[in-house]
Amino acid sequence: MPEIQEKRKSKRMGINVKIKLQKVKDNLASFGLKQEEFEVNVVNISKDGMAFRTKELLTLNSFYDTKVVLWTKESFETVIEIVRMENLGEEETLYGCRFVGITAADQFKIDVYQIVSQN
């Protein structure tokens, strides 16, 4: 059987943190949100993006401001773009997003988080 190739550029790492998302102003696709700012449960992260669960209904290709706090207490602010969604009849939907405009220094924080948590 052929081996399935991973599409992601960076290794994803499990993480269990809550962060807040805030819709980017002038984002017409997100007008259906119940609140301007809401919490999501992050389940994994890489230096290119992350996955999270929420009850909010988000649309693909919509953008949100967020501050990501790693368990090491390192944090960074970034914009995310929703690129994937999956719901198998669960209460919360799993969303995949990519970081938009993340700095090399903030990507390094994620690399350090991955190294520290592996040891």
Side-chain angles (χ1 to χ4, degrees), residues 39-50:
E39 269 192 352
V40 300
N41 299 308
V42 180
V43 295
N44 68 45
I45 192 167
S46 77
K47 64 183 183 179
D48 295 315
M50 64 183 174

Side-chain angles (χ1 to χ4, degrees), residues 22-39:
Q22 184 173 14
K23 69 179 183 179
V24 172
K25 302 297 183 218
D26 299 326
N27 185 357
L28 298 177
S30 63
F31 279 157
L33 289 176
K34 298 175 198 158
Q35 311 173 57
E36 287 254 335
E37 185 176 89
F38 54 95
E39 269 192 352

Side-chain angles (χ1 to χ4, degrees), residues 22-112:
Q22 184 173 14
K23 69 179 183 179
V24 172
K25 302 297 183 218
D26 299 326
N27 185 357
L28 298 177
S30 63
F31 279 157
L33 289 176
K34 298 175 198 158
Q35 311 173 57
E36 287 254 335
E37 185 176 89
F38 54 95
E39 269 192 352
V40 300
N41 299 308
V42 180
V43 295
N44 68 45
I45 192 167
S46 77
K47 64 183 183 179
D48 295 315
M50 64 183 174
F52 60 85
R53 294 187 179 279
T54 183
K55 293 179 184 177
E56 290 285 346
L57 181 59
L58 310 179
T59 56
L60 290 176
N61 305 314
S62 57
F63 295 87
Y64 301 87
D65 286 315
T66 188
K67 179 178 182 181
V68 178
V69 180
L70 304 172
W71 66 264
T72 57
K73 303 302 180 205
E74 289 282 347
S75 67
F76 59 93
E77 293 184 8
T78 188
V79 173
I80 61 167
E81 178 186 9
I82 306 299
V83 295
R84 186 175 57 82
M85 60 191 292
E86 177 182 305
N87 187 305
L88 303 173
E90 300 158 334
E91 189 175 343
E92 293 185 321
T93 299
L94 177 67
Y95 291 94
C97 66
R98 69 179 186 91
F99 296 130
V100 178
I102 188 171
T103 67
D106 290 337
Q107 286 182 321
F108 181 71
K109 291 177 186 177
I110 296 170
D111 286 337
V112 170

